[in-house]
Amino acid sequence: MKVYNPTRIRNVVLLGHSGSGKTTLAETMLFESGAIHRRGSVEEKNTISDYQSLEKEKQKSIYSTFMNLDWRGHKINLIDTPGTQDYIGEVAGAIRIADTAMVVLNSEYGVETAANSLWKMAERYLVPSMIVVNKPDGPQSDFWKTVEEAKETFGREVTVVQFPYSEGDDFNAIVDVLRMTMYEFPEDGGKPDKLPIPDSVRVRADRLHQELVETIAENDELLMDIYFEHGELDEEQMQKGLHLSLVNRQIFPLFCTSASLNMGSGRVMGFLDDVVPNPLEVQPPKKESGEPFTLNPEGDPVIFLFKTQSESHVGDLIYFKVYSGSAKPGLDLVNSSNKSTVRMGNLYVTEGHNRLEVSEVKTGDIAAAVKLKDSEVNDTLALKGMDISLQPINFPSPTIRTAVKLTSEGDEDKLGNALHQIQREDPSIVIEYSQELRQIIIHGQGEEHLMVIKNQLTNRFNLDVKFVTPKIPYRETITKSSSARYKHKKQSGGAGQFAEVEMLLEPYREGMPDPDGMKVRDVEVHDLPWGGKLVFQNCIVGGVIDTRFMPAILKGVMEKMEEGPMSGCRVRDVRVSVYDGGMHSVDSNEAAFKTAAIMAFKDAFMRASPQLMEPLYDVSVTVPQEFTGDVMSDLGTRRGQVQGMEGEGAIQTIHAQVPLEELDHYSTSLKSMTKGSAAHSRDFSHYARAPHDIQERVIEKNREPVNA
């Protein structure tokens, strides 16, 4: 396999809504370059990408797939990615290491929700971006509406480079306003004839050419001077200006293809060769310290790991990008995250499921290795003593959760190992072993995502599991002050037990004054592991309780707060002031004071108007404008409070706060009511008072026998 220098490498990630044609476009590009000799199709389940069994079954991308091709001496690394929100974790790593994002839009549907969210991900990493409008041959194609939506959604920097001469069944030609040429394709696609632009579209082509020239000139003073002097730029000047504008995200060039008819892909690949940046020209990655890391082909090797994929009979295949020097088999590197030494084994470039061995991987290139010891996604490998860590991939927060339960006992360790492996391969999954809820909870990106996880547990790891509704982590607090006194006295032969504790409980708020009539001798402020605070105050005067027993009293309070008096849920935001009590010179000990504290706390808590708190989440729903009314009405039925709304073209984003209990299976309902065109994100906001009926239900459930 040929080794490429950085200036001859292009790393391109294909982004777009499911059904936009990314996989078909990648297949066509591979075919046109000669990398494959026959084009497969998604329907026939024989494409280079989408090769895994689940992808064939669902006929859509679930995993990111890495391919490469040679086009006129340049290596183009193509990364086909899923276009469904459920598999967004697969896209995050691909965007992080890409040097160009190619956003594919379906000319029949315009800018769809996933395209909008994926564009924002590329924007966060400052990845130069271009647009390909696909399927102009579709019966409902509306190219110019799609262009307008792209400008409204992505910005006025979207600039047309190509447009279809005609659409629908008549589509067979593309007008290129950079080269001012029309490409007319034979019926079976492939290499086009170059023709003059017809008079019927000449005025439009001239106008778009002028817009392209002006946009390019605006971003370069030298080109602006040439433009003012001559009123035009030649093709070489335009390509140079396009390159600089693309690198700086000052222009988003828009092309046109019909991937299924094999029309237009060659011109797109030519643009990738001639105009888009190589890995040395884009924004460099940052170190964890925030400083930029400059790529250095002549430097010592620095490698970033961004994807793990398990292969049967082989083990973990870990994908990496070289950011300095070269990677070679036998090279010893140090993992900056755990300081372990890692020896590089055989190195491969991949074309779907095929692996091609390489002797060297240079700066800017992407490859994979097997059996990298003690290495995970987001690790940086470098020579000993370099101590370099590159900033990690920012994986999106989960949007759905479920509890997993074995149908029979005995496979707990096997389940834990399986979940660990699945999470290694997909870090967008969060596995929570909740002692509080006594459940293993899987947090994922959507219902489909969870079903893929269940499929792996069942078929790959041979586990008999079921998914059940996860419990809600409610909290308890109090709404008024209350005091209680408890005397613990036990005498049953031998040493006895004696402890007496009197305490005041108050709802905690920042900056509250000391309790009336009490002298505070010592204050401890505890940030509770489950959120909120406990303020514990020693207000003892006269030595009625020795100071050495205060830690035992605190321990008793904390123990009862972990399993609240009212419903068994954890307690938060309470101030406890211990102000009186009694002890015995012989019978008092730590165990006695801990017991007395538990009982006094429980008594005072239940007389302080206890209140159940439920978790509220900030929810953002991105949805086409036509469905905003339905989504807002549905949020209302879920006790959601809409906080605001903002629009980007035909896409609206609704912001609301919704109780976690009401978000169960929300992604499924959202898909149903919006025909799969919406997406949502959620992040924990705060705890708020639960309605009375929910409080009563939770209390009643807590009264049920443990094994019921």
Side-chain angles (χ1 to χ4, degrees):
M1 181 74 187
K2 182 178 176 181
V3 176
Y4 292 80
N5 288 319
T7 57
R8 310 293 286 182
I9 295 170
R10 306 289 184 266
N11 295 313
V12 182
V13 59
L14 298 174
L15 306 174
H17 199 92
S18 183
S20 60
K22 302 182 299 297
T23 299
T24 304
L25 178 58
E27 191 80 3
T28 300
M29 293 169 73
L30 291 168
F31 175 74
E32 280 297 300
S33 71
I36 58 175
H37 302 295
R38 180 182 179 275
R39 285 200 305 154
S41 72
V42 173
E43 293 74 22
E44 293 176 359
K45 305 178 182 180
N46 59 354
T47 53
I48 298 298
S49 183
D50 292 6
Y51 63 87
Q52 301 210 37
S53 57
L54 265 179
E55 294 177 306
K56 292 179 180 180
E57 178 186 322
K58 293 179 176 293
Q59 295 195 4
K60 65 178 178 181
S61 300
I62 293 176
Y63 307 99
S64 55
T65 303
F66 294 79
M67 300 156 282
N68 69 91
L69 59 90
D70 185 296
W71 187 255
R72 299 171 185 169
H74 289 81
K75 182 188 183 189
I76 300 175
N77 289 316
L78 277 181
I79 313 169
D80 185 20
T81 63
T84 305
Q85 189 73 21
D86 295 64
Y87 314 117
I88 193 74
E90 284 286 324
V91 190
I95 291 176
R96 164 69 169 75
I97 54 88
D99 303 317
T100 300
M102 185 187 295
V103 179
V104 182
L105 303 179
N106 185 334
S107 187
E108 294 193 288
Y109 299 113
V111 178
E112 298 173 89
T113 308
N116 183 42
S117 60
L118 295 169
W119 180 275
K120 289 179 178 178
M121 288 180 73
E123 189 175 48
R124 282 197 292 272
Y125 285 113
L126 301 176
V127 180
S129 301
M130 58 185 289
I131 299 165
V132 173
V133 178
N134 191 33
K135 303 189 179 183
D137 53 302
Q140 304 298 321
S141 173
D142 193 334
F143 178 86
W144 295 108
K145 181 182 177 184
T146 300
V147 169
E148 192 53 40
E149 286 184 6
K151 287 178 177 286
E152 290 176 0
T153 307
F154 306 144
R156 308 315 292 184
E157 296 86 358
V158 172
T159 307
V160 175
V161 175
Q162 293 180 333
F163 65 88
Y165 175 62
S166 58
E167 299 185 63
D169 292 339
D170 296 331
F171 172 79
N172 71 337
I174 295 170
V175 177
D176 191 306
V177 302
L178 173 60
R179 293 183 169 173
M180 289 306 287
T181 299
M182 185 171 84
Y183 299 101
E184 187 177 75
F185 296 87
E187 187 176 343
D188 58 351
K191 187 175 181 179
D193 293 324
K194 297 179 182 179
L195 303 174
I197 296 174
D199 291 342
S200 59
V201 294
R202 183 75 198 196
V203 172
R204 170 173 271 174
D206 286 339
R207 176 175 58 79
L208 291 172
H209 176 78
Q210 200 65 25
E211 287 179 9
L212 181 60
V213 172
E214 290 175 1
T215 301
I216 292 169
E218 283 173 4
N219 299 322
D220 188 295
E221 288 186 13
L222 180 61
L223 293 178
M224 180 64 81
D225 291 340
I226 295 171
Y227 175 64
F228 279 146
E229 184 176 347
H230 301 285
E232 182 59 280
L233 299 175
D234 63 31
E235 186 177 330
E236 184 179 342
Q237 291 164 343
M238 290 182 71
Q239 284 190 354
K240 177 186 174 185
L242 261 173
H243 174 81
L244 292 173
S245 299
L246 187 62
V247 169
N248 296 321
R249 290 183 56 87
Q250 295 167 321
I251 193 170
F252 307 127
L254 184 145
F255 288 78
C256 175
T257 67
S258 171
S260 62
L261 297 179
N262 189 13
M263 297 180 182
S265 63
R267 178 70 180 99
V268 170
M269 288 189 288
F271 186 80
L272 296 179
D273 278 1
D274 299 336
V275 178
V276 306
N278 66 57
L280 304 180
E281 296 173 312
V282 297
Q283 284 279 347
K286 292 182 178 179
K287 302 176 188 178
E288 283 198 333
S289 62
E291 302 171 22
F293 177 81
T294 303
L295 277 68
N296 182 5
E298 306 303 321
D300 291 326
V302 175
I303 296 168
F304 181 73
L305 311 183
F306 66 88
K307 177 180 169 68
T308 298
Q309 179 178 310
S310 181
E311 293 197 350
S312 58
H313 312 300
V314 175
D316 289 340
L317 187 69
I318 300 184
Y319 287 83
F320 62 87
K321 182 176 182 180
V322 180
Y323 280 103
S324 179
S326 296
K328 297 178 182 179
L331 183 65
D332 286 328
L333 301 172
V334 174
N335 188 323
S336 62
S337 66
N338 56 29
K339 308 306 178 187
S340 65
T341 299
V342 179
R343 172 160 290 186
M344 303 297 291
N346 293 342
L347 306 180
Y348 305 93
V349 295
T350 57
E351 291 179 354
H353 69 280
N354 296 316
R355 296 202 310 258
L356 303 172
E357 193 169 344
V358 290
S359 59
E360 181 181 8
V361 184
K362 293 193 173 184
T363 295
D365 210 349
I366 296 167
V370 293
K371 299 176 182 176
L372 290 182
K373 178 185 172 185
D374 299 326
S375 296
E376 307 279 355
V377 169
N378 278 329
D379 287 348
T380 303
L381 309 182
L383 284 186
K384 185 176 181 180
M386 292 184 71
D387 197 25
I388 291 174
S389 292
L390 299 179
Q391 279 190 351
I393 301 161
N394 182 23
F395 288 99
S397 300
T399 62
I400 193 171
R401 64 190 200 120
T402 188
V404 59
K405 187 176 182 181
L406 288 163
T407 54
S408 59
E409 296 182 1
D411 283 334
E412 288 77 12
D413 289 344
K414 189 177 177 182
L415 175 61
N417 292 333
L419 290 173
H420 174 70
Q421 181 61 29
I422 290 171
Q423 188 181 37
R424 285 189 72 235
E425 296 169 21
D426 185 356
S428 71
I429 298 167
V430 175
I431 308 297
E432 177 189 357
Y433 297 89
S434 177
Q435 291 183 343
E436 173 188 0
L437 303 178
R438 296 180 178 86
Q439 288 182 315
I440 300 173
I441 299 176
I442 302 173
H443 300 261
Q445 301 296 332
E447 202 82 46
E448 273 191 42
H449 194 204
L450 295 181
M451 289 304 102
V452 168
I453 296 168
K454 189 175 184 182
N455 180 279
Q456 291 192 64
L457 290 172
T458 302
N459 298 317
R460 177 179 164 191
F461 295 100
N462 299 314
L463 286 164
D464 191 3
V465 299
K466 60 181 179 180
F467 284 178
V468 298
T469 301
K471 299 172 186 175
I472 305 295
Y474 293 107
R475 297 287 179 262
E476 297 180 19
T477 193
I478 54 176
T479 58
K480 71 176 187 179
S481 302
S482 176
S483 294
R485 187 180 188 96
Y486 187 85
K487 181 188 293 185
H488 176 66
K489 187 175 182 180
K490 186 177 180 183
Q491 193 73 44
S492 57
Q497 285 193 2
F498 180 87
E500 191 170 8
V501 173
E502 189 166 5
M503 62 176 63
L504 170 69
L505 267 58
E506 301 168 280
Y508 170 76
R509 66 181 187 278
E510 197 73 37
M512 61 191 298
D514 290 342
D516 290 340
M518 293 187 192
K519 183 178 181 181
V520 179
R521 296 177 57 191
D522 186 43
V523 179
E524 295 182 32
V525 180
H526 296 269
D527 290 311
L528 300 169
W530 51 86
K533 290 182 183 294
L534 163 66
V535 176
F536 184 77
Q537 299 187 150
N538 179 356
C539 301
I540 295 293
V541 292
V544 292
I545 299 177
D546 198 294
T547 305
R548 64 191 171 96
F549 292 125
M550 296 308 291
I553 297 173
L554 172 61
K555 189 174 182 180
V557 168
M558 289 286 281
E559 186 174 300
K560 195 57 195 169
M561 287 182 71
E562 196 157 351
E563 189 174 337
M566 178 176 65
S567 66
C569 301
R570 291 172 171 174
V571 176
R572 56 177 287 160
D573 299 324
V574 173
R575 185 167 77 176
V576 177
S577 301
V578 180
Y579 62 91
D580 202 359
M583 60 182 181
H584 188 275
S585 58
V586 176
D587 293 342
S588 290
N589 55 39
E590 291 182 354
F593 273 101
K594 177 185 169 185
T595 301
I598 290 173
M599 301 307 294
F601 181 88
K602 179 180 178 181
D603 188 14
F605 191 93
M606 293 305 294
R607 291 192 282 111
S609 296
Q611 172 68 49
L612 193 72
M613 309 284 284
E614 64 176 344
L616 296 189
Y617 275 66
D618 288 324
V619 176
S620 294
V621 185
T622 305
V623 59
Q625 193 165 2
E626 61 191 283
F627 296 112
T628 54
D630 294 337
V631 171
M632 291 178 73
S633 296
D634 180 71
L635 287 170
T637 66
R638 298 173 182 274
R639 298 190 286 126
Q641 297 292 322
V642 174
Q643 308 291 306
M645 188 166 66
E646 56 191 17
E648 291 176 304
I651 305 295
Q652 300 290 318
T653 302
I654 303 167
H655 301 288
Q657 284 190 341
V658 186
L660 176 60
E661 184 181 44
E662 303 292 343
L663 290 174
D664 188 35
H665 297 293
Y666 178 62
S667 60
T668 307
S669 299
L670 186 63
K671 264 186 185 176
S672 176
M673 79 179 81
T674 64
K675 300 178 181 178
S677 63
H680 84 287
S681 63
R682 64 174 79 172
D683 290 291
F684 173 73
S685 174
H686 65 283
Y687 274 86
R689 290 188 177 189
H692 181 73
D693 61 320
I694 291 178
Q695 177 164 318
E696 289 301 307
R697 187 186 73 213
V698 173
I699 293 172
E700 183 63 31
K701 193 169 185 180
N702 188 54
R703 293 194 186 108
E704 295 174 3
V706 174
N707 296 320

